Amino acid sequence: MQLQVDAIGKSYGTTAVLKGVSFSLSDGEQALLLGPSGSGKSTLLNIICGLQRPDQGSVAIDNQVIASPDSTAKSDEVRRTSLGIVFQTLRLVSALSLRANLELAQKLQTGRVDSGLIDESLDRLDISHRAGARPFQLSQGEAQRAAIARAVVVSPKLLIADEPTSALDRENTRRVAELLIEMAKTVGAGLLIATHDDRLGDFFPQNYALDQGELKSC
Ligand SMILES: Nc1ncnc2c1ncn2[C@@H]1O[C@H](COP(=O)(O)OP(=O)(O)OP(=O)(O)O)[C@@H](O)[C@H]1O
Ligand SMILES: [Mg+2]
């Protein structure tokens, strides 16, 4: 997997949030995107995920464009089959059990249910015993791990996580960071995490800082 983010620009009204952000990620690489609240991290991830459209620039996975000012149905398809996303607000479906959430993600993204991968992921994330619970019955840490499970059971090429540790204590922060790294390796995915939590910097070899709309290596 090769992720190529090329000169992404995005403004809200007259405020430029991203001013030509470029970086790349190669097969199995893991990178951390650091920046204070409001610096544009979610905007950048949302553009990569197709939830928002850039004003300028493009994003490609394995040379197939997945985001540009004029995205097409083809790029929707590439994104759907390439990305596993852990949203900042988790976005688990509250009407469904944890297991049904994972099955639904697999059906929608891969077209089939892989119960073996679901069982393995629940087990590794230590939430097997909560598989029948609905999202509101989970603790914050369990819900965070449930959202990670949903993102990995689709066997993505790239695992994306937006503030995966913001609501967690120090011990759970370390645990979730290690689990994201381990789960990405298990399914052979690249890993891109956005956070304002610079404690996570210790876990990643490659860190970027988003500052005043520009991305710098740090
Ligand atoms: N849909 C929108 N319309 C207008 N302004 C927006 C919109 N979405 C985000 N913004 C603004 O753009 C800036 C960047 O927001 P974004 O959510 O990308 O930041 P962030 O780095 O993810 O912050 P946090 O760490 O709090 O999650 C903020 O000033 C925000 O208020
Ligand atoms: Mg955010």
Side-chain angles (χ1 to χ4, degrees), residues 12 17 35-44 52 88 162-163 196 210:
Y12 295 116
V17 176
S37 180
S39 60
K41 303 179 298 293
S42 293
T43 300
L44 180 57
Q52 281 172 277
Q88 184 161 6
D162 193 358
E163 298 287 3
H196 61 257
L210 199 52

Side-chain angles (χ1 to χ4, degrees), residues 83-145:
L83 302 180
I85 307 163
V86 184
F87 292 102
Q88 184 161 6
T89 50
L90 305 187
R91 300 193 192 188
L92 295 163
V93 179
S94 61
L96 299 178
S97 69
L98 168 50
R99 178 176 290 278
N101 265 274
L102 306 191
E103 289 173 349
L104 178 65
Q106 285 186 331
K107 275 186 214 150
L108 291 174
Q109 288 192 249
T110 72
R112 58 182 281 269
V113 171
D114 179 345
S115 302
L117 184 56
I118 288 180
D119 288 341
E120 183 188 343
S121 303
L122 289 173
D123 193 35
R124 283 197 182 220
L125 291 160
D126 198 18
I127 42 176
S128 296
H129 59 297
R130 305 299 283 139
R134 305 249 305 270
F136 60 85
Q137 296 170 318
L138 302 174
S139 75
Q140 186 65 37
E142 287 169 346
Q144 190 70 61
R145 282 176 277 142

Side-chain angles (χ1 to χ4, degrees), residues 49-217:
C49 298
L51 294 174
Q52 281 172 277
R53 206 166 267 194
D55 300 328
Q56 294 94 32
S58 65
V59 181
I61 283 188
D62 295 336
N63 295 319
Q64 293 182 292
V65 173
I66 59 166
S68 70
D70 44 29
S71 292
T72 61
K74 171 73 183 155
S75 53
D76 293 343
E77 172 69 11
V78 177
R79 271 197 315 273
R80 185 170 64 78
T81 54
S82 307
L83 302 180
I85 307 163
V86 184
F87 292 102
Q88 184 161 6
T89 50
L90 305 187
R91 300 193 192 188
L92 295 163
V93 179
S94 61
L96 299 178
S97 69
L98 168 50
R99 178 176 290 278
N101 265 274
L102 306 191
E103 289 173 349
L104 178 65
Q106 285 186 331
K107 275 186 214 150
L108 291 174
Q109 288 192 249
T110 72
R112 58 182 281 269
V113 171
D114 179 345
S115 302
L117 184 56
I118 288 180
D119 288 341
E120 183 188 343
S121 303
L122 289 173
D123 193 35
R124 283 197 182 220
L125 291 160
D126 198 18
I127 42 176
S128 296
H129 59 297
R130 305 299 283 139
R134 305 249 305 270
F136 60 85
Q137 296 170 318
L138 302 174
S139 75
Q140 186 65 37
E142 287 169 346
Q144 190 70 61
R145 282 176 277 142
I148 294 171
R150 186 185 54 185
V152 300
V153 295
V154 301
S155 300
K157 291 182 182 175
L158 177 65
L159 181 59
I160 293 176
D162 193 358
E163 298 287 3
T165 59
S166 54
L168 303 179
D169 61 20
R170 178 182 288 271
E171 176 56 22
N172 276 301
T173 292
R174 186 187 58 74
R175 185 143 177 253
V176 163
E178 286 173 356
L179 282 169
L180 278 164
I181 291 167
E182 179 191 325
M183 296 306 289
K185 282 188 185 147
T186 301
V187 293
L191 178 62
L192 178 62
I193 297 182
T195 184
H196 61 257
D197 184 355
D198 45 24
R199 292 176 301 180
L200 285 187
D202 300 342
F203 294 92
F204 294 86
Q206 199 178 355
N207 294 354
Y208 296 101
L210 199 52
D211 183 26
Q212 313 274 329
E214 291 173 17
L215 195 70
K216 296 172 185 131
S217 246

